[in-house]
Amino acid sequence: MHTDVTSVPYRRDRAPRGRSLVFAGAAAEWLEAMPLGNGRLGAMCGGGARAVIDLNEESVWSGAPGRDERQRPTSADEAQELLARARAAVLDGRPQDAEESLARRQSDYTQAFLPVGRLVIGGEDPDPPTVMRSLDLTTAVHEVRAGDLVAETFVSKPAQVLVHAISGDGADPALEFSSPLRETSREDLDDGFVVRLRAPVDVPPPHEPSLPAAVWPEPGEESVEVVVVVRRRTAPERTVVVAAIETTYAGASAPLADVADAERRARSRAETALRTPYERLREDHVRAHRALFDRVRLDLGRAPDRSTADRLADARASGDVAAADPDLVATLFDYGRYLLICSSRPGGLPAHLQGLWSAEMRPPWSSNYTLNINTEMNCWAAGVTDLPETVEPLLDFAEDLARRGADTARHDFGARGWVAHHNSDAWAFTAAVGRGQGDLRWAYWPFAGPWLACQLADLVDHAPRPPEQAARAAALLRGAAEFVLDLLIELPTGELGTAPSTSPENTFRTADGRETALGVTSTMDLALARDVLARVVRGSVDGDPLAREAAAALARLPELASRIDEDGVREWRDAVAEVDPHHRHVSHLYPVFPGSEADDAFTAAAARSLDRRGLDSTGWSLAWKTALWARIGRPDRVEALIRLMFRDARGATGHAGGLYPNLFAAHPPFQIDGNLGFVAGLAECLLQSHRGRIELLPALPPSLPSGRVQGLIARPGIRVGIAWSGGELVEARLRALPGAEGEVRIAWGGSEADVAARSDADTVVTPADLGGGSR
């Protein structure tokens, strides 16, 4: 072991390495288009020489502030009485009676994320040239080459506009814009146009087919208004088109803003961008993107000089994508980081089910925030891949949920703190959805608050963060703990627990053969209750009354070990017959990942459960299982999951994940959590730090025997670079972030050593420093 003062894990000023997605031919459909985004504005770049750009803006949702309160079906007294009846029925072994009571408490549904419209640049070509398209993940610039034409597109964070630049053909391209939103006015300009749009007041989810597809506002009704300004500057060397989008959305609970102000902002952004030289616009954009993207670098081998589609086809045909083309694994890892950067940036909303992109007025599951796994999964990789900025929108959003969820906790539960259920939207919806008909397996799950609060606390603690962020995360944690304390009841055994209780989104059979989702203290409830209360106790000061209350409750909650049997970890308190033994949710294994409370016995039981569950599932479930098997230390299982993740998703049905042509992950249909969760799962194979030590290559897949990763972050804030060859560690380089300096324990291959981590120099660790030459 030695300290190297001159060598650093990475340099932010290094030349772009140009990891790109490359495709031959025009993009004929949305799932062939390439995504761009700056956290607020999103674009899907399709077409070819004739650009077809589908536009999104993060705040374009149906609905308006406060809609969830207006949807409440019962008074507070009635809601709490129905809960008491459901609780008594479950404890008495009558879950069907409990279902009826809980259904009467259901609110309507969350609102939908909506497309802004389609911008088409250029005319039809009767003899289109050969097209090559590429998306450089390092620069976040999309390029099309078609004959003499070269077109670049990017969405600038500094300028807050989409920029499309065309050179090489000398044409002055036509501009077209259409939108599924209601167009209220259009103004033609000499160099473009201004379009004003309005969103519906209500868009039911697709699983409500009996309801109107959209309800448009009547006079006097409020909904989000959108202003789109598109302008063009033509010069001999290139034509530059800029698109600015602004809305009247002002926050989850704030009144909608004035549309005139939105128009002023949009016009100003477009005008400023047009006055700025193109080179400066591009340079500023690339610098802002690379400030985040360049923090981590994963190299697994040289990329063949071929199109992404051809590489995928050949690698799939081999039967083992990772072994045939390891750089595809690194590319998917980088793509996930890219998508997170593009869809979650400070000052805005967090990534939703489809990140920042959607083409449909009635998207799958409303493209909303699904809080029983998917929203959390979107940020799993933010800590380890050094993207704390992408967590800030989730922290802001959770605070909105806490404010609105405090009313729901009082009204529906008579409880302190705050509650949220499994669905939410830009208006911070917190009630249980379902309109009286929602299946309880997903419609009743009041544990989103504890999961979000624990995840945010872990992400804030992953590395030194501003004290203000830590205080905000702690406040969310305390509010979630207060709700849990009031939700817990004394069971006939004398223990504390939850009733009714569900395990997202699974069911079991009762003794008389009926299917139900309702039981007593599911393992997920138990794990989250223990986690949130334990975190409050650990973070408390002497004399904290909430910590004392939490500690007393913890002492009466069952231990996690109580859920272990010969088959693995039970999902419910009692041994029951699972309706779907291969269900995609593995919520009962939360203590293994993303939690960190599992001991060796629970981890071994989790492995038995996962084997019974099977490998194949939806895209996001494959990602979760990857992280779980990595924590368990089974690289063989990880390798099999990587093969499933890289399947061609076209034509897939049921719960079979894979990748679409543009590498979007399939549930199916497209859900971004599969992409973002894959980053977290692969990172767990390379680095773990949840057990008080930094574990190097704990679950390295055999098909990735050699490589190098730089810039990963281990708890409590250690930047780590790792090089390996032939499946064996070559060296690791550690550098502490400011405030995290000190001694850390390093583990690899069964050996451990304590080393000093400095912030002014690398500490280099080799196998010899760990007491051995190889495993």
Side-chain angles (χ1 to χ4, degrees), residues 435-472:
R435 297 180 62 242
Q437 309 169 70
D439 193 319
L440 275 300
R441 76 182 74 189
W442 45 263
Y444 181 79
W445 189 71
F447 266 84
W451 194 344
L452 284 168
C454 288
Q455 171 146 338
L456 284 165
D458 183 62
L459 286 168
V460 168
D461 291 344
H462 200 100
R465 300 295 300 154
E468 171 262 347
Q469 277 198 6
R472 293 168 63 194

Side-chain angles (χ1 to χ4, degrees), residues 314-592:
D314 288 350
R316 286 166 174 161
S318 76
D320 190 340
V321 168
D325 190 345
D327 183 73
L328 282 174
V329 177
T331 297
L332 194 63
F333 177 87
D334 274 354
Y335 192 41
R337 294 193 304 118
Y338 168 88
L339 292 172
L340 180 58
I341 292 167
C342 288
S343 58
S344 187
R345 299 286 282 272
L349 290 164
H352 51 69
L353 274 178
Q354 294 179 315
L356 182 60
W357 304 275
S358 179
E360 301 175 60
M361 280 293 287
R362 210 171 181 180
W365 299 286
S366 301
S367 199
N368 64 14
Y369 296 102
T370 304
L371 304 177
N372 65 10
I373 173 60
N374 314 93
T375 300
E376 291 86 355
M377 180 177 285
N378 284 352
C379 279
W380 278 355
V384 69
T385 61
D386 197 12
L387 291 174
E389 295 89 345
T390 65
V391 180
E392 291 182 32
L394 185 61
L395 182 58
D396 293 340
F397 182 64
E399 289 178 328
D400 286 332
L401 289 174
R403 282 187 285 270
R404 301 199 67 79
D407 291 336
T408 304
R410 284 190 297 269
H411 184 279
D412 287 3
F413 295 88
R416 298 170 293 166
W418 63 282
V419 66
H421 290 74
H422 96 293
N423 269 179
S424 192
D425 55 22
W427 314 110
F429 191 98
T430 59
V433 299
R435 297 180 62 242
Q437 309 169 70
D439 193 319
L440 275 300
R441 76 182 74 189
W442 45 263
Y444 181 79
W445 189 71
F447 266 84
W451 194 344
L452 284 168
C454 288
Q455 171 146 338
L456 284 165
D458 183 62
L459 286 168
V460 168
D461 291 344
H462 200 100
R465 300 295 300 154
E468 171 262 347
Q469 277 198 6
R472 293 168 63 194
L476 288 167
L477 199 68
R478 291 174 69 85
E482 286 178 327
F483 175 77
V484 166
L485 288 166
D486 286 356
L487 185 69
L488 293 172
I489 61 170
E490 183 174 340
L491 302 176
T493 60
E495 297 173 318
L496 294 181
T498 54
S501 174
T502 60
S503 184
E505 300 172 6
N506 213 347
T507 60
F508 61 93
R509 296 203 182 277
T510 59
D512 60 4
R514 295 186 182 183
E515 182 177 356
T516 186
L518 299 183
V520 177
T521 321
S522 70
T523 302
M524 180 59 148
D525 279 10
L526 174 62
L528 285 171
R530 292 191 63 86
D531 198 358
V532 72
L533 297 179
R535 287 176 183 273
V536 166
V537 172
R538 290 197 300 268
S540 67
V541 297
D542 289 344
D544 181 355
L546 183 63
R548 286 199 301 268
E549 190 179 356
L554 271 171
R556 298 182 62 193
L557 280 170
E559 297 291 336
L560 291 174
S562 67
R563 300 307 168 90
I564 297 174
D565 60 26
E566 65 276 8
D567 291 327
V569 177
R570 293 195 304 276
E571 192 160 354
W572 289 273
R573 181 186 64 172
D574 303 316
V576 295
E578 301 161 300
V579 172
D580 179 8
H582 307 294
H583 197 269
R584 61 196 177 278
H585 280 262
V586 284
S587 308
H588 55 311
L589 307 184
Y590 170 92
V592 178

Side-chain angles (χ1 to χ4, degrees), residues 5 41 49 131 250 265 283 289 400 510 524 578 589 679 726 734:
V5 180
L41 298 177
V131 170
R265 285 182 275 123
E283 179 184 345
H289 175 74
D400 286 332
T510 59
M524 180 59 148
E578 301 161 300
L589 307 184
V679 180
L734 315 178

Side-chain angles (χ1 to χ4, degrees), residues 9-10 12 295 383-384 386-388 461-465 711-720 734-742 744 757-761:
Y10 68 94
R12 296 186 184 181
R295 292 175 185 171
V384 69
D386 197 12
L387 291 174
D461 291 344
H462 200 100
R465 300 295 300 154
L712 295 180
I713 303 295
R715 301 169 181 86
I718 310 298
R719 194 181 305 282
V720 179
L734 315 178
R735 180 172 293 207
L737 299 178
E741 302 90 344
V744 294
R758 298 171 50 180
S759 60
D760 60 348

Side-chain angles (χ1 to χ4, degrees), residues 72-105:
R72 283 178 178 157
T74 62
S75 67
D77 288 345
E78 185 179 2
Q80 293 168 39
E81 172 59 26
L82 288 167
L83 177 62
R85 291 183 196 173
R87 181 171 288 153
V90 166
L91 292 173
D92 195 36
R94 297 179 287 108
Q96 282 73 29
D97 292 342
E99 291 171 5
E100 180 181 345
S101 295
L102 292 178
R104 288 174 57 187
R105 301 169 78 249

